Amino acid sequence: MLADSRDLVYSRQIIRTRRGTSVLTSGRGDAGWTTGLVRRIYQLRVLGYTMGAAPVLLLLRAQRAPAWLFGIVLFVCFAWPHIAYQRVRSGGDAPKREQWNLILDCAFGGWLVAAVHFEPLATVVILLMFALDSMAVGGWPVFLGGMAASVVGVVLGIVGLGMRTDPLSVRIAPAWLPVIFVYPLVYAKVTHDVSVKLLDRSRRLRELSERDTLTGLANRVTVGTRLQALLADPDAVDGRILVFFIDLDGFKTVNDVLGHGIGDQVLVEVARRLSGCARGGDLVARYGGDEFLIVTTGADGAHRRELPDVVLAAMAQPIHAGGHELHIGASIGISVFPVHGSDAEALIRSADMAMYVAKSRGRNCCAYYRAEMSEAADARLKLSSRLRKAIESGALRLHYQPQVDMRDGKLVGVEALVRWRDELYGDVEPALFVPVAEAAGLVSDLGEWVLREACRQSALWRSAGVRPKRLSINLSALQLQRGNIVETFQAIVRETGVDPATIELEVTETALMKQPELAVRRLYDFRRAGVTVAIDDFGIGYSSLNQLRTLPVDRIKIDRAFVEGIGQGSRETGAIATAIVTLAKALGLGVIAEGVETPAQQDFLLALGCFEAQGFLYSKALDAESITRLMREGGPLPNPPLATQGSALIA
């Protein structure tokens, strides 16, 4: 009654028959397919029983069968198909119920053969039709079960009706012609329709298995398979195969801040742009997340040389998604066959390592793989693993650098700076492990640990009666963009009992300029939570005066780059420092300089009216015990020789 359906397909997977059995699936997205299939079986069952009823009834009439036998045959032929259909529809597990219906069909067929006294033509037609139905729908298990049911039906028929055989009834034989010719034709048409649908579903499944469902590009498995196929016969593409590993810069921020819906729109647009950058013979794939691959082949050297710049230019254009104008750059790593790998996995891995080097160079650039990158990647992976353990186990430490009033050398605050002493690597500089934390996705965990530990120490100082007036804590760009950062801070304040008025959060100017609207909202939330805000490393982010005026900040920190040249004949750095102090005064903001190391720098800043500073001239960053002792002693730190003169000049 149904097509030979060895593969029944739905949505994203093929459900293959097991040991020859067919399966009518009932998963999500497949209900329509199962319902349609059951309906076709019902229609064929109605047709078969209706067409077979006429010759069977004629045979019974010729054999002078009793009335009750006519009644049973009429009931089965005209009522059973509907009962069977309702049985399948009303209960769960439609496939199992339909298989039992087929077995009952075969049992009735065996009984019917005995009822018509084994008339040769009727016996062949009835048993053959039910056997074909069982095999087509259920495969060998249902076929064999049906044959056994037919034997049981024959035995019951003989027991109930007696054993009798009649010869071929030539007069009634023409009545079987519709069953012999029409039913198979209808059956074949239904089989064809189902087979076409199965083939179409198989084709769509194959496309789904090879394509990324969001972007329509080749997926990770497909690009690996096709690249390996190219490598198996490199002469077909002149032996020139390059892999470009493309990772989006800043995409995680888009997902975290604006949601995955906007992120998906960005990925679709990126896929469109990358496809536009590639030429006909290139393979463009989404490797996973915000990672893409382009595999290019052939002798067109100009295309290979220009492709990285073309991709970077395409990614530099703003992306409009959900009413937002987003700037998403890209970092590209490039590997070349056979120099950087002889198989697909090695080439992709090499391009991936080169991509991380491109990110470390400032992002939005490309890098070719070199052998030493593998060693660097292994070291970076080992370092990130140990850093993760250090964060989880609390093996990091905070040191505190004093911030002083340069006029009298008294302590006005401290800045919390994270330090890491590893058993294997010894003292690891922040300049080394912070980028590793960023690449490994540990920045948020690291930042939260610093925030919690600094607040805990501030609460201890308050209990000891030696707390500084101000505790500065650095807040990374990724932390600032997290939706729950303010709630996290408030929870830490409640947990540690620290006074938020003593906390100053330092955010780099560069971080503020990445998402200025979001930054303004976050900083206002922090201000409402009772903390003050400072712009760290001011002067290197190229923020405009108008942007600065909109930011809810209390203090500007002059970057050390504009301090270190003072007193060394650099007019430019002195002019920039002068401009920053003048700007801070005009906006009513406090100002502090970092990286003050010489008396000349100190005196210059004092003359400008910048009274607060930190740097090695006063003290390096101290551990908690040492800074606590310093606060107990009350200072002052080294007193500037021209402090009084500086104060007089400002006055």
Side-chain angles (χ1 to χ4, degrees), residues 368-388:
Y368 279 84
Y369 174 78
R370 297 192 307 275
E372 57 266 27
M373 291 180 183
S374 179
E375 297 178 4
D378 291 341
R380 189 167 52 245
L381 179 62
K382 190 174 182 179
L383 188 65
S384 67
S385 175
R386 297 189 69 83
L387 177 58
R388 184 185 300 275

Side-chain angles (χ1 to χ4, degrees), residues 210-505:
E210 295 176 351
R211 296 283 171 181
D212 174 59
T213 55
L214 176 64
T215 63
L217 299 178
N219 60 23
R220 181 174 190 151
V221 174
T222 302
V223 70
T225 302
R226 293 188 184 179
L227 177 56
Q228 193 61 47
L230 289 172
L231 299 177
D233 187 17
D235 293 337
V237 290
D238 297 323
R240 295 176 174 87
I241 302 173
L242 276 76
V243 176
F244 297 81
F245 197 109
I246 303 161
D247 184 86
L248 302 185
D249 298 330
F251 177 75
K252 186 177 185 300
T253 301
V254 172
N255 256 354
D256 290 345
V257 176
L258 301 179
H260 292 277
I262 299 297
D264 287 349
Q265 293 180 43
V266 170
L267 291 175
V268 171
E269 175 59 19
V270 168
R272 186 190 67 80
R273 294 185 185 186
L274 292 179
S275 298
C277 296
R279 55 169 197 189
D282 296 341
L283 173 61
V284 184
R286 182 184 177 200
Y287 196 65
D290 61 342
E291 298 172 336
F292 295 83
L293 288 183
I294 298 179
V295 177
T296 181
T297 61
D300 190 352
H303 171 68
R304 295 197 303 272
R305 289 191 299 271
E306 295 169 0
L307 184 58
D309 293 332
V310 171
V311 170
L312 291 175
M315 293 298 100
Q317 299 300 315
I319 295 176
H320 297 275
H324 302 275
E325 182 177 289
L326 305 172
H327 294 269
I328 304 291
S331 299
I332 306 174
I334 307 169
S335 63
V336 182
F337 171 81
V339 181
H340 302 147
S342 58
D343 57 45
E345 183 179 354
L347 281 173
I348 294 173
R349 185 173 59 250
S350 297
D352 186 17
M353 284 187 279
M355 180 273 296
Y356 276 106
V357 171
K359 279 191 178 294
S360 69
R361 291 176 179 172
R363 309 191 176 198
N364 202 37
C365 62
C366 66
Y368 279 84
Y369 174 78
R370 297 192 307 275
E372 57 266 27
M373 291 180 183
S374 179
E375 297 178 4
D378 291 341
R380 189 167 52 245
L381 179 62
K382 190 174 182 179
L383 188 65
S384 67
S385 175
R386 297 189 69 83
L387 177 58
R388 184 185 300 275
K389 291 179 180 178
I391 295 173
E392 293 173 351
S393 63
L396 301 175
R397 294 292 180 266
L398 285 186
H399 283 197
Y400 302 87
Q401 185 170 37
Q403 297 173 335
V404 304
D405 186 329
M406 292 186 288
R407 292 170 296 186
D408 56 18
K410 289 187 177 180
L411 191 71
V412 295
V414 295
E415 179 183 3
L417 300 170
V418 65
R419 296 291 184 261
W420 178 27
R421 174 183 286 274
D422 183 71
E423 294 179 357
L424 179 62
Y425 295 106
D427 289 326
V428 185
E429 292 295 325
L432 178 60
F433 70 77
V434 170
V436 169
E438 291 178 348
L442 299 174
V443 167
S444 294
D445 294 336
L446 176 60
E448 184 174 334
W449 181 89
V450 170
L451 195 60
R452 188 181 304 277
E453 179 63 18
C455 289
R456 187 192 67 81
Q457 183 61 55
S458 180
L460 291 176
W461 284 331
R462 184 184 63 177
S463 299
V466 294
R467 65 177 179 177
K469 295 179 181 179
R470 180 174 67 234
L471 172 60
S472 297
I473 305 172
N474 290 283
L475 201 65
S476 70
L478 290 177
Q479 282 181 284
L480 187 65
Q481 292 159 358
R482 288 178 67 89
N484 65 342
I485 181 59
V486 179
E487 290 77 7
T488 299
F489 171 74
Q490 291 174 324
I492 291 174
V493 167
R494 290 192 298 270
E495 176 186 324
T496 59
V498 69
D499 181 3
T502 63
I503 302 298
E504 181 173 81
L505 298 178

